[in-house]
Amino acid sequence: MAENTAETVRNTVVEAALGKLDLDAKTRLLAGQDMWSLPALPEIGLKSLVMSDGPIGVRGVRWTADDPSVALPSPTALAATWDPALARRAGRLLAQEARRKGVHVLLAPTVNLHRTPLGGRHFEAYSEDPHLTGAIGTGYVQGVQDGGVGTTVKHFVANDAETDRFTVDNRIAPRPLRELYLAPFEAIVRNAHPWGIMTAYNQVNGVTMTEHHELVNEVLRGEWGFDGYNVSDWMAARSTTADIAGGLDVAMPGPDTVYGPALAAAVRAGEVEESAVDTAVRNVLRLAARVGALEGAPPVVTEHPAAIDGDALAREIAHRGFVLVRNENDALPLKNATVALSGAAARDARVLGGGSAQVFPDHVVSPLDGLTAALPDGALAFTVGADPSEELAPADQGFTLRARCRDASGTVIGEGSLPNGQVQWIGDDLPAGVTHEALASIEVVGTFTPRESGEHAFGTRGLGAFALTVAGETVYEGTQALGPETDPFEAFFGSPVERGKVALTAGETVEVSLLHTLDKEFAAPLPAVMFSFVHLAPRRDPDELIAEAVEAARAADTAVVVVATTERVESEGFDRKDLALPGRQDDLVRAVAAVNPNTVVVVNAGSPVELPWREDVAAILLSWFPGQEGGAALADVLTGAEEPGGRLPTTWPVTLADAPVTEVTPTDGELHYSEGVFIGYRAWDKAGAVPAYPFGHGLGYTTWSYDTLTATPDTVTVRITNTGDRPGRETVQIYLAPVADRVERPARWLAAFANVEAAPGESVETEIALPRRAFEIWDEEKNDWTLVTGAYEVVAAHSLTDGRLTITLEV
């Protein structure tokens, strides 16, 4: 009742504020004032609304290591926990981070689906399954908004690949659109009531999403009752009149957008009704009222949740999301023994994916760090074995760098620290005192203390003029022109260019400098400075590295090999070409496994990769991109201090050729979702194909018996017993399979799930709600949901292919 009263007050304040604004002020509010915020309007007591990228941390308004961010595991890892309550705790932590950084709205979560395994940004989305995605996304949104911070559920809708993402027209029939791609958004809107949504770059069935009146105004707002604000993806808004008619409230980033003065002029010209502008402004003011940025309006949250230890939660989510897909002869947890650790990714961990989701944690625990701390002295030996990257990467280990900014006269106008050689300043990310107008050049300066002696390669990535100096020697001076790239992220995260080699000695510090002079010819489509100072350590003979790892493995009780993808494999801006691990990592695993039967492989990747040696090793643990505490969590799981709690949120193929749906490249601008409702495990079932590891699969350190199962059309009740010798957690998965289907549907689908904890020998009963939607299809003739009556097998399962109990239910 109190919240209803507060909502009434908020609405009253919003209407009063709206009535005080003239047309120019209203349209200015709908256009960003800069990269991350909307303008303040003091005349109505409105503060500037600040937005910031997520979803695994809060970067704030400046992309800088001077203001570190907690870095949680990737969204695929969070989804692998199959725990909406844990997702809610993650959201509360991120709200805490957002408040600390003065951020009102988090640009997350990403709830697009893993339609194919080639999606380059899938690490930032949850799952191939709409029900699991909706449940995790619901928990995340509830958690962020528990903390008084808004969310923008993205990218609405069908932004399921990166290829030509600005222009692609995704052609999707009504039924798969409703049952798959819209479903997570609908679940989150109905169950979590998000305060924002972000419309995507792409078109759906011929209409750009920022202009999609049917899906935004009729479905999202009309059918589902969404009452939040709709913000464009950055640079997605293209038409003043079509965007406002399509229900777009805010065009980002500013200040030059299709709204602002252009929208005011359209109203005055009679092309847009002012009432449409009022509707959009009302949505923005309602958001401001909810987050406490509108004077006189009570915020939704007046008492924030208890403070959360970010390091501890990051560590918990990591081990809860690790998926143990193979564990022959109980290779894990490790017995008290010696361990040979190999893989460059064990030393230099990749803890988050590339693109706009990147943040800077104040520390990262690598697998080598974690295991060194957890194992007795002398029990661990490390060798490089193989490096996932054979090309130059942003200068990192051994480098201490700063960015020195100068104006056209050469005067220094500001400096900022850099965590590595990558400069990615978008909008106001610039160091204090620096403006895009005054900035003429940036010099990355600092020192480098190499770990290895030999020929070190140095280079650049980005467009424009560069001058590179190492140890007083000019290595390169010249200009890099634009290649065939069409996406600025692809150009920025594209191929680095080697500019020269310098012989250096391990432990001897040298000075380095990369001067980048700005040129309007190479300017980004928005105010941004994006380039990298890149480096590659001396390359030893790959066979020698593998031989060293083999000798270490031969002498140890257990061999642990960490394999990984790189930002050139998984990142925003481009899709994957294949699912192979880069470099000689497969060769390393095979060679180590050949000499040590207790070989454990840790897969440090955000989404599926091929594991051609999977039957030759004792154990395989998927760690995803495990966040800043990943190495500590890995040590917890390997030693048995914690159980690997994850279950696969997406099917893991044997090879790319086996995957039923792989197309990500448009033909003549169109990408046809011709597979209909058959993606993910639905497609694998239809094809009769067997993946390496099925949806929902994951092993723990205890065993479970499924004892009883009862079901009604509304509820499933399952009783299970922990039959092992240690406490554990089981994810009980409920699948529906029509007995004699009258319509074309998948053979089975996830309908519900629950997490259950039990001590050794303990039996626990869990009651799980069955949503009516699980028995419905979208009837394209009726243009509505239709209940499909008849007999269904209800399966209580450990995974999609490991059903434990089955009963038949009439609906």
Side-chain angles (χ1 to χ4, degrees), residues 537-619:
R539 296 290 92 179
R540 290 181 53 204
D541 183 287
D543 292 327
E544 283 184 15
L545 291 176
I546 292 174
E548 284 181 2
V550 166
E551 288 311 304
R554 195 192 309 273
D557 296 307
T558 301
V560 176
V561 185
V562 181
V563 297
T565 59
T566 69
E567 70 169 19
R568 296 281 282 120
V569 175
E570 292 182 90
S571 178
E572 180 178 352
F574 53 86
D575 288 312
R576 300 164 70 182
K577 302 292 189 291
D578 56 48
L579 303 183
L581 285 167
R584 294 283 300 280
Q585 295 181 102
D586 287 332
D587 293 340
L588 171 65
V589 174
R590 288 190 185 98
V592 167
V595 300
N596 193 319
N598 294 321
T599 294
V600 176
V601 183
V602 179
V603 183
N604 180 194
S607 47
V609 291
E610 293 173 0
L611 309 175
W613 31 258
R614 69 191 185 285
E615 301 293 337
D616 304 326
V617 299

Side-chain angles (χ1 to χ4, degrees), residues 248-264:
L248 181 70
D249 299 324
V250 173
M252 289 295 289
D256 299 320
T257 79
V258 297
Y259 284 173
L263 181 55

Side-chain angles (χ1 to χ4, degrees), residues 114-206:
H114 297 179
R115 175 178 165 264
T116 91
L118 291 178
R121 201 178 180 183
H122 280 349
F123 61 86
E124 199 178 324
Y126 293 128
S127 169
E128 69 188 21
D129 182 77
H131 178 72
L132 178 58
T133 296
I136 299 295
T138 292
Y140 182 100
V141 168
Q142 287 172 331
V144 174
Q145 294 183 178
D146 285 345
V149 174
T151 54
T152 53
V153 188
K154 63 184 189 182
H155 308 85
F156 190 74
V157 61
N159 184 183
D160 310 301
E162 295 294 280
T163 304
D164 295 346
R165 62 177 177 161
F166 292 103
T167 57
V168 61
D169 180 10
N170 293 321
R171 311 297 293 198
I172 314 170
R175 191 176 157 204
L177 184 60
R178 290 282 190 160
E179 294 183 19
L180 297 179
Y181 304 101
L182 288 171
F185 291 94
E186 180 182 6
I188 294 167
V189 168
R190 293 190 186 279
N191 298 321
H193 309 290
W195 301 342
I197 201 120
M198 181 189 291
T199 34
Y201 294 120
N202 55 279
Q203 301 175 55
V204 171
N205 297 330

Side-chain angles (χ1 to χ4, degrees), residues 393-478:
D396 191 1
Q397 300 294 331
F399 288 86
T400 302
L401 302 171
R402 294 185 62 77
R404 188 171 294 153
C405 301
R406 295 184 175 88
D407 62 16
S409 70
T411 302
V412 174
I413 55 176
E415 282 196 16
S417 64
L418 292 173
N420 56 39
Q422 183 167 294
V423 176
Q424 182 177 314
W425 295 336
I426 303 175
D428 292 334
D429 287 348
L430 300 171
V434 180
T435 65
H436 285 283
E437 292 73 24
L439 183 61
S441 69
I442 306 96
E443 185 181 11
V444 176
V445 295
T447 61
F448 174 47
T449 306
R451 295 189 293 200
E452 300 97 355
S453 297
E455 294 276 314
H456 287 254
F458 296 87
T460 63
R461 183 170 63 181
L463 305 175
F466 295 99
L468 174 61
T469 304
V470 177
E473 175 187 340
T474 299
V475 175
Y476 172 75
E477 197 163 359

